[in-house]
Amino acid sequence: MARILSILVGLFFTVALAWAFVNGAYIQITEPTGPTAEHEFHLHPKDVHFASDGPFGKFDNQQLQRGFQVYKEVCAACHSLEYVAFRDLAQLGYTDAEVKAIAAGFSVPGVDPNTGESTMVPGTPTDYFPKPFANDVAARAANNNAVPPDLSLIAKARHNGPAYVYSLLTGYRDQPAELVKEFPGSKTPPGLHYNPYFANLNLAMPPPLTTDGQVEYSDGTKATVDQMAKDVSAFLVWTAEPKLEKRKQTGWAVLGFLLFATILGYMSYRSIWADKKH
């Protein structure tokens, strides 16, 4: 019985190996070879720095408030913050009254107390940011058949997320003539927009930040396109990891404890074995 079982197991792995080999060879033969437009013209994110970067980095609440203002006035029309509640904004330095006013400026699903029917009501601090579209069908209809992603975790969901968001927002440009010349079939389709920082170079989202002063900052900061892109990117770092500062503080405390324990252990070792001969 054991011999039969071992034969069957060996046969299974042999078949699996053969299938993997044949499938890999088929893909290698059928897939196009050589350089692609995405490989040749896709750019890595720009080099940009934020206050929260590094082991000692901390959030700049003033910048986060500016970033939230950009999100609210520009991005919220298409993108949700599904995992962020209005009350969380208190961490950015907003007062309770300001949080209540911000929440009331959004409409969230609720129930009509008179009829019991579903309706939209002003938000409260305990509510989460609402989705801008009723469903994916409505989202696709309004965005050239693309569903705008939720931005709550975008800074963590993308490699080098903050720099990626900043680069994407500031990276829109005309499609290079050499791209079309080298890859004739890669011309940006109607309704899409060329951006070399996007994986396949063309995306449905039009440039959201188009002109300086598009947002009027309450703290008087000059709202250039570059500044707005940096601020909203910094804000999305916070939405993705609001406890970033606490994590770093805890990490340093743990490292300090481990260093102390290591030194204490070494001193104990030397004390116990000091009179012992090897």
Side-chain angles (χ1 to χ4, degrees):
M1 184 65 182
R3 180 177 297 179
I4 295 175
L5 183 61
S6 62
I7 292 174
L8 292 176
V9 170
L11 182 62
F12 169 79
F13 283 107
T14 301
V15 172
L17 182 62
W19 180 87
F21 175 79
V22 173
N23 186 60
Y26 174 78
I27 292 175
Q28 184 67 26
I29 294 171
T30 56
E31 284 192 349
T33 58
T36 62
E38 292 80 1
H39 180 267
E40 293 291 321
F41 290 88
H42 176 63
L43 299 178
H44 294 290
K46 301 176 183 178
D47 186 21
V48 60
H49 301 283
F50 299 94
S52 57
D53 290 345
F56 298 100
K58 293 184 177 181
F59 287 125
D60 179 351
N61 280 357
Q62 194 168 20
Q63 182 179 43
L64 298 186
Q65 290 189 15
R66 294 197 303 267
F68 169 65
Q69 190 175 348
V70 174
Y71 167 77
K72 183 176 67 172
E73 297 184 21
V74 179
C75 309
C78 297
H79 296 277
S80 58
L81 287 178
E82 185 177 354
Y83 301 108
V84 181
F86 292 111
R87 61 186 174 189
D88 295 333
L89 296 176
Q91 299 177 31
L92 308 188
Y94 289 109
T95 65
D96 290 344
E98 289 173 327
V99 171
K100 289 181 180 178
I102 291 171
F106 287 81
S107 295
V108 299
V111 176
D112 189 325
N114 298 318
T115 64
E117 297 180 350
S118 298
T119 185
M120 300 301 289
V121 299
T124 64
T126 57
D127 290 317
Y128 285 77
F129 279 85
K131 295 182 178 181
F133 301 102
N135 49 56
D136 287 352
V137 175
R140 290 183 186 279
N143 293 278
N144 197 27
N145 203 36
V147 178
D150 179 82
L151 297 182
S152 304
L153 305 175
I154 197 71
K156 288 290 187 182
R158 299 291 186 271
H159 176 66
N160 203 2
Y164 166 79
V165 173
Y166 167 77
S167 301
L168 193 72
L169 293 174
T170 57
Y172 288 89
R173 62 190 68 175
D174 294 332
Q175 190 176 43
E178 57 268 27
L179 187 154
V180 180
K181 182 178 180 181
E182 186 175 350
F183 303 95
S186 298
K187 184 176 177 59
T188 299
L192 299 184
H193 307 270
Y194 180 77
N195 192 316
Y197 297 99
F198 191 64
N200 66 359
L201 306 181
N202 303 302
L203 71 163
M205 181 178 71
L209 303 175
T210 55
T211 58
D212 294 347
Q214 186 172 342
V215 172
E216 185 176 349
Y217 282 140
S218 56
D219 65 358
T221 300
K222 186 176 180 180
T224 63
V225 170
D226 185 79
Q227 184 68 54
M228 290 185 289
K230 285 182 179 177
D231 292 341
V232 75
S233 299
F235 171 70
L236 293 177
V237 173
W238 172 79
T239 64
E241 191 175 5
K243 298 187 182 297
L244 178 143
E245 291 182 359
K246 184 65 175 178
R247 174 176 62 80
K248 292 180 179 180
Q249 293 171 1
T250 303
W252 281 114
V254 170
L255 287 177
F257 170 77
L258 292 176
L259 179 61
F260 172 76
T262 300
I263 295 174
L264 184 63
Y266 177 74
M267 294 175 63
S268 299
Y269 164 79
R270 292 296 300 270
S271 176
I272 294 173
W273 295 94
D275 59 342
K276 305 295 182 181
K277 293 183 180 181
H278 296 287

